[in-house]
Amino acid sequence: LYLLTFLFVASPLFAMDGVAVIDMRTAVLSTQGAADAFKALEEDPDYSSNLEEAKSLQADRQAIAEKLQKELETLSNEDISKLQKDIQELGKDIEFLAGKLQQAQEETAQKVFVTSGAAMQKIIGELIQAKQIKILLQKNETILFSDQALDLTDDVTSMLDVAASENGATTD
């Protein structure tokens, strides 16, 4: 019985040989190139203007909500309705701006993926050969747990940064 239990428990350990996981999105978005792209986005006049406007609208909305809460007892029903309507309108404006900001972030991320795609595929291929990987799984919400030793994400990020710095050095 002990031997049978050992075989069932030990067999998954042997099956892990040649298996790895990777979060390609995190690997690419953790590179220095991605950080530079997002920094450039933050410095973009349209993006920064939309961000400042969203922050300002949020502050206005918060101020109105606080006023409504403080003066609820003394305000007329008409004033309460007007303040609630103002809060809703500001909320819609904030949602619109947030959508524009998110779209700009997604476009930037997509550009980083396109730029890094070939290098990432080459690096993953090299890691598969070097580590003798037989199964490579995409790390996502369906993988509840994976040993950090099986995770190639940080390796790929580092190698992408090295490849980018070497390309930068050769193109200068």
Side-chain angles (χ1 to χ4, degrees):
L1 184 63
Y2 175 75
L3 181 61
L4 193 57
T5 304
F6 174 76
L7 288 175
F8 281 122
V9 172
S11 64
L13 297 176
F14 296 119
M16 297 305 267
D17 192 29
V19 176
V21 295
I22 184 170
D23 182 341
M24 290 189 284
R25 181 173 179 84
T26 299
V28 171
L29 294 180
S30 297
T31 62
Q32 187 59 48
D36 294 344
F38 280 100
K39 185 174 189 228
L41 175 64
E42 290 171 5
E43 294 170 356
D44 178 72
D46 289 338
Y47 183 86
S48 59
S49 170
N50 286 336
L51 185 60
E52 288 304 314
E53 186 178 352
K55 288 178 181 178
S56 174
L57 291 173
Q58 181 60 33
D60 293 348
R61 183 177 177 202
Q62 184 67 31
I64 293 170
E66 288 172 5
K67 177 182 178 176
L68 181 61
Q69 187 177 5
K70 285 179 187 174
E71 300 176 13
L72 187 61
E73 303 281 328
T74 60
L75 290 171
S76 69
N77 286 341
E78 189 177 305
D79 289 339
I80 291 171
S81 292
K82 183 189 179 319
L83 291 174
Q84 288 173 335
K85 184 178 179 192
D86 290 346
I87 290 171
Q88 283 181 330
E89 288 176 6
L90 286 170
K92 288 178 185 174
D93 292 344
I94 293 167
E95 279 183 40
F96 175 74
L97 287 170
K100 287 176 74 171
L101 293 169
Q102 185 174 1
Q103 181 181 358
Q105 291 169 350
E106 285 299 320
E107 288 172 1
T108 300
Q110 191 59 39
K111 287 177 190 172
V112 171
F113 281 115
V114 168
T115 304
S116 303
M120 182 172 60
Q121 291 303 318
K122 181 179 180 227
I123 289 166
I124 290 172
E126 291 170 359
L127 284 171
I128 287 171
Q129 285 183 336
K131 296 184 181 239
Q132 299 179 344
I133 296 168
K134 294 172 183 64
I135 299 174
L136 181 61
L137 302 170
Q138 170 64 28
K139 189 175 183 179
N140 59 28
E141 62 276 352
T142 58
I143 295 178
L144 300 178
F145 172 79
S146 65
D147 188 329
Q148 188 60 33
L150 300 174
D151 196 338
L152 300 178
T153 304
D154 291 341
D155 294 338
V156 172
T157 299
S158 298
M159 293 172 83
L160 282 169
D161 281 337
V162 168
S165 68
E166 288 174 354
N167 286 342
T170 58
T171 58
D172 287 343

